[in-house]
Amino acid sequence: MTVKLPELKQNFTESLSQISRFWGFPKGMGAIFGVLYLSPTPLSLDEIVEQTGLTKGAISTEVRTLARMGLVHRSSKLGDRKDYYEAETDFYQSIRSILKERQNSEFDRAVRSVQEMLTQLESDSVSGSEADVKFVRERVKALQEFFNAIDSLASAVIKLESLGITNVTRILKVLK
Amino acid sequence: MTVKLPELKQNFTESLSQISRFWGFPKGMGAIFGVLYLSPTPLSLDEIVEQTGLTKGAISTEVRTLARMGLVHRSSKLGDRKDYYEAETDFYQSIRSILKERQNSEFDRAVRSVQEMLTQLESDSVSGSEADVKFVRERVKALQEFFNAIDSLASAVIKLESLGITNVTRILKVLK
DNA sequence: TAGAACGTTTAGTAGTTACTAAACGAAGTA
DNA sequence: TACTTCGTTTAGTAACTACTAAACGTTCTA
């Protein structure tokens, strides 16, 4: 038995919606990316409206954050007042932009705050029983080191300049 | 100028709350983990109530999901009816449990769904213009390969048996 | 100038989430 | 037995989120 292409496309966008929601993004974002990703040509805002069922307003705002994350690109044709959007197909490129975007975020602020605590703890400027301070210092330090490791891993991914999937497989071999 | 230890601990748990929320978990979870992580001894439910300001009910449920993720461990003393909780300090161990937990989740279902589409597309069981089908097939395939790469990376992390941070640094050197 | 074709912003809403307060159950103790 | 002392479950709520519908501003066109 055969499946019709438009039907399959719809299933695809639904899957992307779920994935989007799972990672804490609005499901509409996944849907928008989905239709753009499966479109051979860039789509206008109204075409996205038609294919997702969302309203212009919602798409207008969500497409902007998608662009900020580097997952879609906005372009325009000469002599055409519409904006056109297309999906980024290099996912590693996207990851890079997302990670850059997350820089200077609430997350980073919190991590920096932990870093400051550690320096305080290491400079003996914390009052309390010797043993207690030592214990807390070691725990905080361990967490800080973990954060650093994650951070290095992230920036390592950022540095992977469009070498694609083969690179990841290379890493995995090393891990064996 | 010096800071008092309890004050610093409180700042710490607030930072963890923010980090928790950033990753899509309730901020209470971060706070609970925070006080457990900075406690030299396992804490009872009521002690956590006291230090976080949350109610027993909330902690009861959230501590359970923390345990399921392997971030805290529940234990009990003989002749003491209370349960005691302590934080896992091997973060790589925790990551492993979290990733295992996320297996069989909504995320995985969606990914499998995409996998099924791909097999359909590759077995010529999709009706539509030749060029269109080909285009969609290639796009879906690229996404699928990306998912596989991420998945391999995840299971590679799972396999890192308590080798700690040095291992991550090893990986990073390879990436250079 | 009026009007159409865009994208954006705003006000309002349905649904969800992270809690609290309190009832509940189980298990030990007098 | 009744009384504590635990942890759990449930009902309700305040705050937030992802939207919709519609007003709005801008730019092109007649």
Side-chain angles (χ1 to χ4, degrees), chain B residues 101-149:
Chain B
E101 169 72 13
R102 290 211 161 169
Q103 217 88 358
N104 298 336
S105 63
E106 290 301 312
F107 176 71
D108 262 45
R109 267 193 55 225
V111 169
R112 268 197 297 276
S113 167
V114 172
Q115 171 64 53
E116 281 168 26
M117 288 177 209
L118 184 57
T119 48
Q120 282 185 341
L121 282 161
E122 285 179 336
S123 65
D124 282 328
S125 61
V126 176
S127 70
S129 115
E130 178 62 33
D132 287 355
V133 173
K134 189 181 173 216
F135 175 82
V136 171
R137 181 167 54 227
E138 275 163 11
R139 286 267 158 125
V140 173
K141 190 175 179 185
L143 183 64
Q144 179 63 35
E145 276 168 1
F146 176 71
F147 282 157
N148 284 338

Side-chain angles (χ1 to χ4, degrees), chain B residues 5 28 32 61 72-74 76 78 81 92 116 123 126 159 165 170:
Chain B
L5 193 54
I32 294 170
T61 63
V72 312
H73 303 290
R74 140 188 275 153
S76 43
L78 277 100
R81 210 134 48 75
Y92 298 94
E116 281 168 26
S123 65
V126 176
K159 280 180 194 150
I165 291 164
R170 236 180 73 216

Side-chain angles (χ1 to χ4, degrees), chain A residues 3 15 37 113 125 127 139 172, chain B residues 3 15 37 113 125 127 139 152:
Chain A
V3 187
S15 291
Y37 184 69
S113 167
S125 60
S127 69
R139 285 267 158 126
L172 300 181
Chain B
V3 186
S15 292
Y37 185 68
S113 167
S125 61
S127 70
R139 286 267 158 125
S152 309

Side-chain angles (χ1 to χ4, degrees), chain B residues 4 30-31 41 62 64 67:
Chain B
K4 284 180 186 128
T41 57
E62 281 174 6
R64 201 183 316 147

Side-chain angles (χ1 to χ4, degrees), chain B:
Chain B
M1 67 169 225
T2 65
V3 186
K4 284 180 186 128
L5 193 54
E7 221 174 277
L8 188 135
K9 283 192 182 184
Q10 201 170 324
N11 285 342
F12 181 81
T13 65
E14 277 165 20
S15 292
L16 282 203
S17 296
Q18 288 190 52
I19 291 171
S20 175
R21 201 176 42 182
F22 181 81
W23 289 109
F25 302 105
K27 68 174 187 174
M29 269 183 55
I32 294 170
F33 181 82
V35 308
L36 290 177
Y37 185 68
L38 290 193
S39 166
T41 57
L43 297 181
S44 70
L45 220 162
D46 282 318
E47 288 168 316
I48 303 177
V49 166
E50 193 188 344
Q51 294 198 36
T52 58
L54 300 175
T55 54
K56 273 203 304 179
I59 294 174
S60 171
T61 63
E62 281 174 6
V63 102
R64 201 183 316 147
T65 77
L66 276 168
R68 212 173 48 220
M69 297 197 300
L71 277 164
V72 312
H73 303 290
R74 140 188 275 153
S75 59
S76 43
K77 300 177 185 170
L78 277 100
D80 187 344
R81 210 134 48 75
K82 289 181 200 155
D83 290 347
Y84 288 89
Y85 303 91
E86 58 186 325
E88 168 67 61
T89 55
D90 180 350
F91 297 109
Y92 298 94
Q93 173 64 47
S94 303
I95 285 185
R96 257 171 272 149
S97 338
I98 291 172
L99 291 177
K100 275 178 192 159
E101 169 72 13
R102 290 211 161 169
Q103 217 88 358
N104 298 336
S105 63
E106 290 301 312
F107 176 71
D108 262 45
R109 267 193 55 225
V111 169
R112 268 197 297 276
S113 167
V114 172
Q115 171 64 53
E116 281 168 26
M117 288 177 209
L118 184 57
T119 48
Q120 282 185 341
L121 282 161
E122 285 179 336
S123 65
D124 282 328
S125 61
V126 176
S127 70
S129 115
E130 178 62 33
D132 287 355
V133 173
K134 189 181 173 216
F135 175 82
V136 171
R137 181 167 54 227
E138 275 163 11
R139 286 267 158 125
V140 173
K141 190 175 179 185
L143 183 64
Q144 179 63 35
E145 276 168 1
F146 176 71
F147 282 157
N148 284 338
I150 296 294
D151 194 60
S152 309
L153 194 61
S155 34
V157 172
I158 289 179
K159 280 180 194 150
L160 285 177
E161 291 295 339
S162 54
L163 295 174
I165 291 164
T166 50
N167 225 317
V168 176
T169 357
R170 236 180 73 216
I171 302 168
L172 299 180
K173 288 221 178 92
V174 178
L175 288 175
K176 279 290 183 177

Side-chain angles (χ1 to χ4, degrees), chain A residues 110-120 122 140 144 148:
Chain A
V111 170
R112 267 197 298 277
S113 167
V114 172
Q115 171 64 53
E116 281 168 26
M117 288 177 209
L118 185 57
T119 48
Q120 281 185 342
E122 285 179 335
V140 173
Q144 180 63 34
N148 283 339

